[in-house]
Amino acid sequence: MNDHEDAEGMRGMSNATSRSLFIRFAGLRELGIFIFLLVVVLIISIRSPVFLTLDNIHDIGLDAAILAIVAVGEMMVILTGGIDISVGSGIGLSGMIVALIIMNAWGIPPIVAVFMGTAIGGVLGMINGILVVKAKIPPIITTLGTMSIYRGATFIVNYTVNKGKWVAADRFAPAFRTFTRDTFFLVPNLILITVIIYIIFYYFLNHTVTGRKIYAVGSNPDGARFAGINVSKIMFLPYLLTGMLVGTGGVLWVSRYTSAQTDAAQGFEFMVITAVVIGGVKVTGGSGSIIGVLLGSVLIGVINNALNLVRVSPFWKLAINGFIILMAVIVDKYIQEGVNKRLLERRKI
Amino acid sequence: MRRNNQQLKTSSFVVQWEFILLLIFILFNFAMSFTHSNYLRVTNLFDTTFIFSEKALVALIMTFIIITGNIDISVASMMGLSSVVLATLFRAGMNIWPASLVGLGVGTFCGFLNGFIITRVRLPALIITLANFSFYRGIAYVILGDEAVGGFPESFLYLGRGYIGNSPVPFILVFFIVLAVLAGIILHRTKFGRTVYAIGWNEHTCYASGVPVDRIKLLLFTISGFMAGLAAVFITSRIGNTRPNIATGFELEIITIVILGGVMITGGVGKMWGVFLSIFLIGTIRYGLGLHNIPGQYMLIVTGSLLIISILMNNLIVSYVEARYLRAMAALEQGEQLTEQISSRERR
Amino acid sequence: MKKTLLLILAFVLVISFSAFAGGGGAKKDEITIAMIVKNIGNPFFDVVRKGWDEAVAELGVNDVWRGPEQPTPEGQIEIFESLIAQGVDGITYVGNDPQALAGVAQKAMAAGIKVNGWESGVVPNSRDISVEPVSAQTIGADQVKILAEQIDYKGQIAILSAAATMANQNTWIKYMKEELEKPEYKDMELVAVVYGDDVREKSYNEALGLFKSFPNLRGIISPTTVGIAATGRAITDEGMIDKVELTGLGLPSEMYEYVMNGASKVFGLWNPKDLGYMNAYVTYRLVTGEITGKPGETFKAGRLGSYTIEPQEGVDNGLVYMGSLFRFDKNNVGEFKDEL
């Protein structure tokens, strides 16, 4: 191929990329969930004018933040073909441990408490990881087991150290009590932390070798092994990272509600998995984007918020919630199929 | 050679797992019988089966579903909805028996809906049943709200509370055992059962071979709804009262029972008598620890650890057996090579 | 084939043990009384336990303290069965759903066990005696009165309850609504009843939702310890102190911050410790036969003094009221926050 033809080809390509930015956007897997989110937001803002106020958006953000943080971890676990249903219990345990430590040590700055939580959560995650990778126990069984064990441990720790009394608001240093809502250049700390985490993991998953290895292992474990990837290490990593994120979330949880109770975050794992799956991550692993997970978490936050705004009878809330999730997945599936078809057609050049 | 390895892994896994359960069961009962004077009272032992009989019924169909590599997290919500429907109809004046049939029908329909969405829209069972876990329970709340329904007739209450004649054997226990035997026969002795295993091993190959995978999955999920409805009738009868939150949290216990019974979540592995043992093992552990008034939180830790330890033990045994097999094979090969060398030298 | 044989052998082995250990239920000399609470891990019941332990020590009996991990009636039924199997002498319970527990309570009574149900509403033939800390009617009416005083008897109010399936919550709400029908509350309007399920984040979010759906909201009643604390947090976070008044039933330890910062100026409770103490005595008296639970009988409950059993509407068994609603405010909440 001579230079002249090369240049022609290049020009053609650059034209194509700029023209087809819209088409590329339309080809995004996240399109489905994004459209659904827009539709839901539209419907709600018609029924309830309060919905799109800054104050309410602020509340939605705070509500969805912890979910979003933990969802990143869960996403990575699911990407490698595993699952972690111990996250709710992990939040409870790590939050309780940190709360018991700082309730008598008001000098500890809140950010240090958050790091303590991250470390403790990391240990919990390591236990999961070791059981899955070293002991070769299937992830669902491991995390089903640790879900119960961590929850039981929360109870025991609380009883041993504090005789069963939950740690109440006045036991925390004032700085810790308001930490999640205090702003750093107009942005609430909680949201700031969430954004930072997302930036870090976006880079990690999309632009580092280890991150790409996670995708590789998930989509084809045997192929990955033949390609020379240390599959054990890559499968261990998400559990450790999830544990750390769970620990972070646990402390933030305690700060947000200024309370550490033995049944905190019970059932939270269901919401986390829902957020991840709605975000387009395949349950079989190997495919999914962090943007999708963010959108999924936001959608759940929006739904929870909306149900409390719109004056609907409380007995309808659960049914509507379940129904919307169902619709979200089904609609997303159909949009995905449409998008994939369009992508396939474009290849026919 | 590779196929043999897999077979060996499978057969040693399967054989060892259920025997470990049996061992634990016997040892636990043995130990417990000496620690508490009331432990082996026959009436107590039989009475304790009431608590887990409804979960046991659903565990039967859950076994099939998990063997195919799927899962159903909405079973408890289907139980709740069926119960609420039958109770509401009864309260509105319908005779309890047709009301129960309608409740059963509702449960079956919910299961069918699960299966329909999973097979038509082709979405993972995990997420669809997770969404319906909220949805079906939500409908129960829409129907009954903050009210309760009770006052069922004696004949209905017999189902969940009654004994066979004058014996201490509960009716529901006998009912369950009959169904369990039936389920075991279907799973292990029919072509349908073998197909279920095949789907769990490799769904794509089954599709390619013309197995009606979708229809079978749809059938299994529909039956799941049916069993949930059946369990709902029994639990409503046993408690004698129902609210929208009845049977909350049962799905996790049912899944734990099935997994502890040796059914692998990846599909294709598991035996019915393992699940049967698991039901009674968990039941007796709860009963034994309960007699000693051990708090529920410790029960949580025990069940969680039991799951992990049993698989750990199994993995250890499998790797030990595998290692010995591999060594034997290696020795055999060496022996063959030697024989080759000797005979080829002799030929010269 | 071999496996099936082994299986049958194992089962036969186990069952044959019963031949040796059969005649269980040894008659003990000491009395054993048991308590079933709504769930373990709830600080309210931990305080109840303190009183219970105190009474048990005074009475010199054996005791059992149980509760399910989750506040479900099924969990309590399982515990009931376990206690019946153990052959305890008396059981006292606070029901997650008293109607659901009626069946198993009857089974216990048929087995000769004395049953005391507290805060468990009116369900016929389900116990030998009932104990209410305060009459349900008083609980409902008093909370309305407290809130009304704070908002000058006018404005929109809402109720943030626990779970829609909790019988005692529903009873109190019923009495609150009845109280609101009285003429002095004509300028107050109950605009919503929402359910926080005693889950902190859910209660918190429901409170936020109330503020946004009803911008003119003047007051919230939350007759549940988790709900009122979560609402206190919400009011503080959203800067609604003094705009929305809060009252209900709460624990001083959880509510201390919110009383001090003004989110909830007055809230109520009865003394959980005395409740535990009282119930131990009542159950003991039942077991020894000093009382049978019928209206008109009198008994002494240790340091709490003498009580007369009143009739309970709609059932055969009698009812004991412990006392009246205790109000906590800025002046006294500090005293109790470490204990309660």
Side-chain angles (χ1 to χ4, degrees):
Chain A
M1 217 190 298
N2 61 36
D3 291 4
H4 179 65
E5 281 175 320
D6 266 351
E8 276 275 307
M10 298 281 261
R11 236 178 288 135
M13 255 170 54
S14 68
N15 274 346
T17 37
S18 54
R19 194 194 331 130
S20 66
L21 198 66
F22 173 72
I23 300 179
R24 270 175 71 219
F25 177 73
L28 270 179
R29 207 178 298 113
E30 290 79 45
L31 188 69
I33 176 77
F34 188 68
I35 291 183
F36 192 84
L37 185 61
L38 278 179
V39 167
V40 168
V41 168
L42 214 66
I43 296 179
I44 301 168
S45 42
I46 296 177
R47 259 215 82 169
S48 181
V50 179
F51 184 68
L52 280 180
T53 58
L54 204 64
D55 185 46
N56 194 45
I57 296 181
H58 169 257
D59 286 338
I60 297 179
L62 287 178
D63 194 34
I66 298 181
L67 176 63
I69 291 176
V70 180
V72 174
E74 186 75 45
M75 170 200 178
M76 289 189 287
V77 168
I78 294 185
L79 276 180
T80 59
I83 196 166
D84 187 344
I85 56 175
S86 69
V87 289
S89 308
I91 290 178
L93 182 55
S94 52
M96 176 62 77
I97 294 179
V98 173
L100 291 171
I101 295 177
I102 65 176
M103 77 174 182
N104 289 321
W106 283 24
I108 299 182
I111 194 71
V112 172
V114 173
F115 281 123
M116 275 201 287
T118 311
I120 294 176
V123 171
L124 299 181
M126 258 205 302
I127 296 176
N128 279 337
I130 292 177
L131 287 172
V132 169
V133 174
K134 278 279 138 68
K136 298 221 194 351
I137 304 178
I140 188 155
I141 299 182
T142 310
T143 54
L144 188 60
T146 51
M147 175 174 86
S148 301
I149 295 178
Y150 292 163
R151 186 60 69 186
T154 312
F155 165 80
I156 294 177
V157 163
N158 180 239
Y159 265 78
T160 317
V161 177
N162 209 26
K163 303 210 197 67
K165 280 248 301 285
W166 291 343
V167 188
D170 60 296
R171 294 308 187 108
F172 298 110
F176 185 79
R177 273 180 247 162
T178 53
F179 179 68
T180 52
R181 299 182 76 103
D182 284 341
T183 61
F184 186 79
F185 291 115
L186 292 182
V187 180
N189 285 334
L190 181 54
I191 307 232
L192 194 62
I193 294 178
T194 314
V195 169
I196 294 176
I197 289 179
Y198 267 80
I199 294 178
I200 294 176
F201 280 98
Y202 179 84
Y203 181 76
F204 172 70
L205 283 168
N206 296 325
H207 295 288
T208 65
V209 178
T210 320
R212 296 320 295 175
K213 281 185 189 171
I214 291 182
Y215 280 97
V217 164
S219 57
N220 192 343
D222 289 324
R225 194 173 295 122
F226 290 138
I229 297 179
N230 185 341
V231 175
S232 298
K233 198 177 83 173
I234 298 294
M235 294 216 64
F236 173 80
L237 200 57
Y239 293 98
L240 173 64
L241 293 173
T242 301
M244 290 166 67
L245 290 165
V246 158
T248 313
V251 178
L252 292 170
W253 184 286
V254 170
S255 167
R256 174 163 162 75
Y257 302 109
T258 58
S259 151
Q261 44 187 97
T262 46
D263 59 355
Q266 188 112 38
F268 194 62
E269 45 274 338
F270 286 149
M271 281 202 350
V272 173
I273 293 176
T274 308
V276 170
V277 172
I278 287 187
V281 177
K282 283 217 168 40
V283 192
T284 39
S287 160
S289 86
I290 194 170
I291 303 294
V293 171
L294 182 60
L295 286 175
S297 309
V298 168
L299 180 64
I300 293 195
V302 161
I303 296 175
N304 285 339
N305 176 281
L307 284 176
N308 289 337
L309 275 187
V310 176
R311 295 186 203 183
V312 66
S313 151
F315 304 134
W316 276 90
K317 284 187 185 167
L318 190 60
I320 297 178
N321 197 315
F323 184 73
I324 293 182
I325 307 281
L326 201 59
M327 285 298 113
V329 238
I330 295 180
V331 164
D332 179 58
K333 178 72 195 251
Y334 279 121
I335 295 187
Q336 254 193 49
E337 283 185 352
V339 159
N340 284 339
K341 247 191 268 188
R342 220 176 315 140
L343 280 176
L344 226 54
E345 282 166 18
R346 282 186 63 225
R347 291 239 196 94
K348 282 201 206 126
I349 311 167
Chain B
M1 175 75 171
R2 196 174 131 83
R3 202 197 56 188
N4 285 340
N5 260 353
Q6 270 188 334
Q7 264 183 353
L8 177 72
K9 195 169 187 149
T10 317
S11 55
S12 63
F13 166 87
V14 155
V15 165
Q16 303 303 84
W17 182 286
E18 281 82 12
F19 274 124
I20 292 177
L21 280 185
L22 188 59
L23 218 68
I24 299 178
F25 182 71
I26 297 177
L27 284 174
F28 186 80
N29 276 302
F30 195 80
M32 275 287 140
S33 60
F34 289 109
T35 61
H36 200 287
S37 56
N38 275 356
Y39 186 79
L40 281 176
R41 263 179 100 184
V42 175
T43 42
N44 283 346
L45 284 174
F46 276 118
D47 271 7
T48 205
T49 63
F50 277 116
I51 312 283
F52 55 75
S53 292
E54 299 100 9
K55 295 177 203 159
L57 282 172
V58 180
L60 294 177
I61 182 62
M62 187 66 81
T63 308
F64 282 81
I65 290 185
I66 295 188
I67 289 181
T68 64
N70 289 296
I71 199 166
D72 189 346
I73 306 189
S74 67
V75 283
S77 306
M78 293 196 285
M79 276 178 75
L81 183 54
S82 300
S83 174
V84 163
V85 165
L86 91 83
T88 312
L89 286 173
F90 169 71
R91 187 175 62 168
M94 193 187 279
N95 178 277
I96 189 66
W97 300 108
S100 301
L101 280 176
V102 176
L104 206 59
V106 165
T108 314
F109 177 72
C110 289
F112 174 78
L113 196 60
N114 278 338
F116 185 80
I117 300 179
I118 292 170
T119 53
R120 275 310 127 86
V121 184
R122 294 213 186 285
L123 280 164
L126 178 70
I127 189 60
I128 295 298
T129 56
L130 190 56
N132 280 332
F133 156 81
S134 299
F135 183 53
Y136 294 149
R137 182 69 69 184
I139 306 275
Y141 272 98
V142 170
I143 295 179
L144 205 50
D146 59 1
E147 297 159 25
V149 179
F152 299 106
E154 276 298 316
S155 53
F156 180 73
L157 294 179
Y158 173 77
L159 285 177
R161 302 182 185 186
Y163 300 90
I164 304 278
N166 283 327
S167 74
V169 181
F171 168 73
I172 188 174
L173 182 65
V174 173
F175 188 86
F176 163 70
I177 291 182
V178 168
L179 278 183
V181 170
L182 196 67
I185 292 177
I186 295 180
L187 186 62
H188 297 297
R189 294 258 184 275
T190 65
K191 181 165 155 226
F192 180 77
R194 277 196 294 281
T195 318
V196 165
Y197 276 105
I199 296 177
W201 266 121
N202 197 331
E203 193 169 307
H204 291 292
T205 313
C206 284
Y207 269 120
S209 318
V211 173
V213 175
D214 280 348
R215 238 190 298 155
I216 292 181
K217 288 207 309 206
L218 185 60
L219 181 64
L220 288 179
F221 279 102
T222 310
I223 296 179
S224 180
F226 175 80
M227 293 305 275
L230 202 57
V233 169
F234 277 107
I235 197 175
T236 313
S237 152
R238 174 166 69 87
I239 300 186
N241 190 267
T242 188
R243 281 188 186 272
N245 67 344
I246 195 172
T248 304
F250 276 23
E251 66 282 322
L252 227 48
E253 296 183 50
I254 294 171
I255 293 175
T256 305
I257 289 176
V258 174
I259 293 184
L260 188 64
V263 181
M264 283 277 97
I265 204 71
T266 36
V269 180
K271 294 206 158 177
M272 191 56 79
W273 70 277
V275 175
F276 191 78
L277 261 178
S278 165
I279 293 172
F280 284 96
L281 180 60
I282 294 185
T284 41
I285 290 182
R286 283 191 83 93
Y287 166 67
L289 293 182
L291 279 184
H292 288 278
N293 293 314
I294 296 191
Q297 264 72 2
Y298 291 99
M299 260 310 306
L300 277 178
I301 297 191
V302 165
T303 333
S305 313
L306 200 61
L307 267 179
I308 293 182
I309 291 176
S310 44
I311 303 205
L312 211 59
M313 277 206 286
N314 172 76
N315 283 351
L316 282 172
I317 294 177
V318 166
S319 37
Y320 172 72
V321 170
E322 254 193 352
R324 285 192 59 177
Y325 175 78
L326 285 174
R327 253 181 280 147
M329 290 304 289
L332 206 66
E333 256 193 52
Q334 267 192 339
E336 281 177 1
Q337 279 178 354
L338 268 171
T339 327
E340 263 282 321
Q341 286 176 354
I342 295 175
S343 54
S344 69
R345 229 176 287 152
E346 280 181 354
R347 264 188 262 121
R348 277 197 226 110
Chain C
M1 194 54 208
K2 192 173 77 166
K3 271 184 270 165
T4 338
L5 275 176
L6 256 169
L7 183 59
I8 298 175
L9 179 66
F11 263 69
V12 168
L13 254 175
V14 172
I15 299 300
S16 65
F17 274 133
S18 61
F20 292 109
K27 203 74 190 99
K28 294 186 223 74
D29 299 317
E30 286 195 18
I31 293 177
T32 306
I33 56 174
M35 163 74 89
I36 308 179
V37 292
K38 284 194 178 176
N39 66 318
I40 296 283
N42 188 326
F44 179 83
F45 296 115
D46 293 323
V47 185
V48 171
R49 185 167 194 177
K50 289 196 193 139
W52 169 274
D53 286 344
E54 187 189 333
V56 162
E58 281 174 19
L59 291 168
V61 294
N62 289 328
D63 80 305
V64 175
W65 181 275
R66 301 278 303 266
E69 310 91 83
Q70 296 283 331
T72 61
E74 290 95 342
Q76 288 184 315
I77 290 176
E78 187 174 346
I79 296 175
F80 245 109
E81 297 271 6
S82 177
L83 292 172
I84 297 174
Q86 289 176 47
V88 299
D89 301 294
I91 298 178
T92 172
Y93 71 94
V94 51
N96 284 319
D97 184 355
Q99 286 152 307
L101 293 173
V104 72
Q106 283 162 20
K107 195 170 168 184
M109 294 199 293
I113 302 175
K114 297 290 176 214
V115 175
N116 161 20
W118 55 279
E119 253 190 78
S120 289
V122 183
V123 182
N125 295 327
S126 71
R127 61 193 79 140
D128 292 303
I129 195 172
S130 293
V131 172
E132 297 277 343
V134 186
S135 83
Q137 199 273 335
T138 313
I139 296 175
D142 266 11
Q143 287 179 69
V144 171
K145 285 192 195 126
I146 295 176
L147 188 63
E149 281 162 25
Q150 290 175 40
I151 65 174
D152 275 336
Y153 290 84
K154 57 171 181 286
Q156 293 181 330
I157 67 169
I159 299 177
L160 196 146
S161 176
T165 49
M166 288 217 164
N168 60 348
Q169 290 279 322
N170 294 335
T171 312
W172 296 336
I173 294 176
K174 182 184 91 179
Y175 285 119
M176 285 183 210
K177 289 182 181 168
E178 270 181 30
E179 177 75 9
L180 282 169
E181 313 240 308
K182 293 196 185 153
E184 57 258 41
Y185 305 108
K186 63 173 169 45
D187 290 323
M188 280 167 60
E189 186 198 349
L190 177 64
V191 291
V193 176
V194 294
Y195 300 97
D197 288 345
D198 266 350
V199 174
R200 190 151 306 241
E201 60 271 22
K202 184 150 195 283
S203 305
Y204 181 81
N205 285 330
E206 289 283 353
L208 290 183
L210 282 176
F211 302 151
K212 295 187 200 126
S213 307
F214 302 100
N216 293 325
L217 194 67
R218 270 300 281 147
I220 297 180
I221 302 179
S222 190
T224 162
T225 54
V226 174
I228 192 177
T231 311
R233 174 91 256 142
I235 290 179
T236 313
D237 282 350
E238 297 289 311
M240 293 278 187
I241 300 180
D242 290 333
K243 281 202 221 118
V244 176
E245 299 296 346
L246 172 65
T247 190
L249 300 173
L251 281 174
S253 59
E254 301 249 315
M255 290 302 288
Y256 181 73
E257 152 133 353
Y258 307 116
V259 171
M260 286 305 157
N261 73 10
S264 172
K265 313 220 173 33
V266 184
F267 69 93
L269 197 63
W270 42 85
N271 191 330
K273 198 164 144 202
D274 285 352
L275 202 52
Y277 187 88
M278 167 72 128
N279 275 305
Y281 265 90
V282 167
T283 314
Y284 177 76
R285 302 264 179 248
L286 271 178
V287 169
T288 57
E290 279 172 63
I291 57 173
T292 59
K294 293 282 174 286
E297 295 173 345
T298 60
F299 65 94
K300 267 188 65 100
R303 62 173 169 79
L304 289 178
S306 295
Y307 285 86
T308 312
I309 303 181
E310 323 240 338
Q312 192 177 22
E313 211 181 290
V315 291
D316 283 339
N317 60 275
L319 173 58
V320 179
Y321 288 124
M322 212 179 69
S324 54
L325 202 63
F326 190 84
R327 295 187 183 201
F328 294 100
D329 59 27
K330 239 185 175 138
N331 300 322
N332 60 3
V333 70
E335 287 173 50
F336 292 94
K337 80 172 176 77
D338 288 322
E339 228 194 50
L340 246 47

